[in-house]
Amino acid sequence: MKSDFAVSALGERLRAAREARGLTLDQLSASVGVSKAHLSRLESGDRQPSVGILVEVAAALGTRVSVLLGEDATGAPLATFAPDTPRLAAAGLEIAPGSGFPGSRALEALRVHVPGDREPPAPARHRGEEWIYVLRGVLDLEFDGLLHELRPGTAAHFDATRPHRFFAGGTLVSDSTGVPESTGVSESTGVSESTGADLLLVSADYRPEINSVQH
């Protein structure tokens, strides 16, 4: 996990991007559907944003998640991302940008590591679509209340406006019985596979920028 300094730096970049757009916290809150108090805590570094909130806020501010994570926003209209691109801790995940040339806003590609001991988050909903491709480990994707087990080489594409969340296979446990809803245990070896998962996450959305909306 990254230090508190990294979280603080993310908050500072969020504030700088918002102020550069000439937006108040109230205006940004109304655009992304996140409370003003929550946005304020993100900017002060008191809370780590989820992937969904990062995508929403970046789109509303006319920037990219990779820029909020610290990538240079200037340069040629081509960007490459090495395997050792630094990761940032956010909402219990380790995230590294995998897309974003200057001026690009149509999609966000992220490399995400989901630790095996990460607690399943509350379901998220946000505008756009998401595409997931599992690189390593077993990923449990809960979409619209149904659980889907994704193994390496498996892809999923879905409407991000519907409730969804993901976590390493075998981490979700029923509150009533204590029996895992998804065990993450291999039938052939009996060995737990809840050691985490690595995936590519692509979010895509198209909408007018805040300052261009007529009302």
Side-chain angles (χ1 to χ4, degrees), residues 39-129:
L39 290 173
S40 179
R41 288 193 290 271
L42 293 180
E43 289 189 352
S44 65
D46 292 336
R47 178 165 295 184
Q48 294 182 350
S50 67
V51 173
I53 288 179
L54 273 176
V55 170
E56 281 281 284
V57 171
L61 295 177
T63 187
R64 306 182 307 279
V65 171
S66 58
V67 173
L68 296 179
L69 293 177
E71 291 296 310
D72 188 357
T74 62
L78 168 68
T80 60
F81 300 84
D84 58 351
T85 299
R87 294 179 175 181
L88 177 74
L93 301 170
E94 295 176 21
I95 305 170
S99 69
F101 60 84
S104 67
R105 286 193 294 271
L107 62 83
E108 290 280 358
L110 305 171
R111 296 173 183 163
V112 181
H113 173 68
V114 186
D117 59 356
R118 177 182 184 247
E119 290 294 325
R125 301 177 67 170
H126 54 87
R127 285 169 287 198
E129 304 174 12

Side-chain angles (χ1 to χ4, degrees), residues 103-175:
S104 67
R105 286 193 294 271
L107 62 83
E108 290 280 358
L110 305 171
R111 296 173 183 163
V112 181
H113 173 68
V114 186
D117 59 356
R118 177 182 184 247
E119 290 294 325
R125 301 177 67 170
H126 54 87
R127 285 169 287 198
E129 304 174 12
E130 285 194 347
W131 179 84
I132 289 174
Y133 182 84
V134 181
L135 299 170
R136 184 191 66 82
V138 178
L139 186 77
D140 282 345
L141 170 66
E142 184 180 299
F143 179 78
D144 233 1
L146 296 178
L147 195 63
H148 305 268
E149 184 180 77
L150 308 182
R151 293 182 174 272
T154 304
H157 183 201
F158 55 88
D159 179 356
T161 65
R162 309 298 290 269
H164 61 278
R165 60 177 177 170
F166 57 75
F167 35 87
T171 60
L172 186 62
V173 177
S174 168
D175 291 334

Side-chain angles (χ1 to χ4, degrees), residues 16-29:
R18 175 178 60 79
E19 292 177 346
R21 301 290 292 179
L23 298 173
T24 66
L25 280 172
D26 286 318
Q27 290 172 317
L28 182 58
S29 173

